[in-house]
Amino acid sequence: MELLAPVGRIENVRFAFFYGADAIYLGGRDFSLRANAKNFSLDEIKEAVTIAHGLGKKVYVAVNIVFHDEDFPNLEDYLKILDSIGVDAIIASDITVVSLVKALNLKFEVHLSTQASVLNSDAARFWQNLGVKRIVLAREASREDIKQIKDDTGLDLEVFIHGAMCTSFSGKCVLSNYMTNRDANRGGCAQICRWNFEINEKPDLTITPKDLNMVPFIEDMINLGVTSFKIEGRMRSIYYIATVILVYRRLIDKIKAKTLTEKEATYYLNILNRCANRDSTPQFYDKLPGVNEQYFAGRDEVSNKDFLGLVLEYDEKTNLIKMEQRNYFKVGDVVQFFGPNTETFEMTVTELYDEEKRPITVARHPQMIVYMRVIRKVNYLDMMRVKIFDLIK
Amino acid sequence: MFDDLGLILVLKDLNVPKILMLTHLGNSLRGITKYLEYVDTVMISTDLAYEEIAYILNNTPKPLVLFTFGLVPLMYSRRTLLTNYALNAKTPIPKKITSHINEKYFHIVENDYGTVFYTGKYFLNKEADKYPNVYAEYYNPLFLSDEEIKMVIDNNYTNIDTFSFLLDKKTMYKLKEED
């Protein structure tokens, strides 16, 4: 069973693995949806694979656009290079890509993208016959769909457990094409589903879905035999991916150890919703989404500034940390530290120093280096955030 | 006619012509050619420009279905978006409405299977009779009156608001080139 995390740039690879991902997925500079993320050069993909394999973990590369004929030059060479680099799988939705991998006898697996919107066993078998080893199910898959497909085909199934939703069946939406000429199925989606649609003399129609979270059903999905739990978000920040990965890592480990409490589940859900700045619900798993699974006109979104700093060094003699500031904070603020090997704790900021170790009262400049006295050991790449929720007691 | 690939396996022994409506996935000659190994013909996507359609039809190994006229489905949601909207706004639940963002209009229809957004105008491919290898032209008369359907059959679009959708300009997807 695998926890699969998104990375949008090479800098995020270490964070994803450090915070508990078993595998990562990323996009190259070509052929991947999220065309306007920074994405990975071939050298960076190679570096990511080296890091991953050194940790016994995996890398999947998205080659998941729906191709027009003008997009095919360089595809074959690209796939061969990915194979030589040693990526573990590609994620594809176009039958041309799936067939080409088979024809070229490449070593990596093919995982079928959610763009193919597979929701039944026959469709899964169609792709299985073409050599696909894993299906990333449509986000509309219910519990019954997942069970049926698993029972009928035995295929590895990858299911989204967290992150942004499409309003439409993935791969079947061209609102962006219509409104802006930006091709949604080649990575140019302008997210028209998050705009307001006017209806004369009536409240605007909105079709924005809330985000997905599967916190209440992780145990059930483990029992169904889901192979991989996928987090959405290649364009998200390191704070977001670290927080989300760590929460689900802890959830999964506690479920396996049979130690998860309802209080903990609620706490984790609050943390998840806060870091995304959006509400989230299980969406299609247990029911058809209704009124409570969408946003409506009048919703106001204000970005929070919870992520305060990234720990770079800890001196156990002085209890001073060296930290890169990520948002404004000051002496007197109550903060929390968290990390994969650090039990979350809170403290009040009492001593703060600049890079020259001169006392300051405010860390105001983006990414400035500060030193701060802490009350407990922290680790490299742990993070500091604003205290919003009380810790579980 | 169908679009779920699972039906390729279900219908494989059925001795009737099978038309795969790839909708937004039938965007390349190579992809379409691959699907033609399983079905009798495929409907070309409406996401393409004139020259892209011409390239496919000039080189296809089998004749294809061409979407020639009708409202283009833009988005298919499993959610009952009009019902949810009405419940939230506390208004009667419509099964069909017209909406717009600026000057772009949509017809929106809901049934038990979900919600579909269509273009506000009727798509018309004026070059349809110039292509080779056309198995059939697809006309979708959704929301047309009987009178209007007769006019379309007579190739008379005088009173029907038509547009070319994406035919005149290829879509783009990268906002800038990487250095």
Side-chain angles (χ1 to χ4, degrees), chain A residues 84-101:
Chain A
S84 70
I85 284 173
V87 303
D88 298 281
I90 63 162
I91 307 167
S93 64
D94 196 299
I95 196 171
T96 311
V97 177
V98 176
S99 306
L100 194 53
V101 171

Side-chain angles (χ1 to χ4, degrees), chain A residues 166-196:
Chain A
C166 288
T167 301
S168 173
F169 286 100
S170 294
K172 294 185 188 288
C173 180
V174 289
L175 284 175
S176 175
N177 304 42
Y178 178 58
M179 286 299 301
T180 66
N181 213 51
R182 280 169 54 172
D183 192 341
N185 283 324
R186 288 191 286 175
C189 182
Q191 301 202 30
I192 308 301
C193 59
R194 300 184 191 275
W195 297 18
N196 287 4

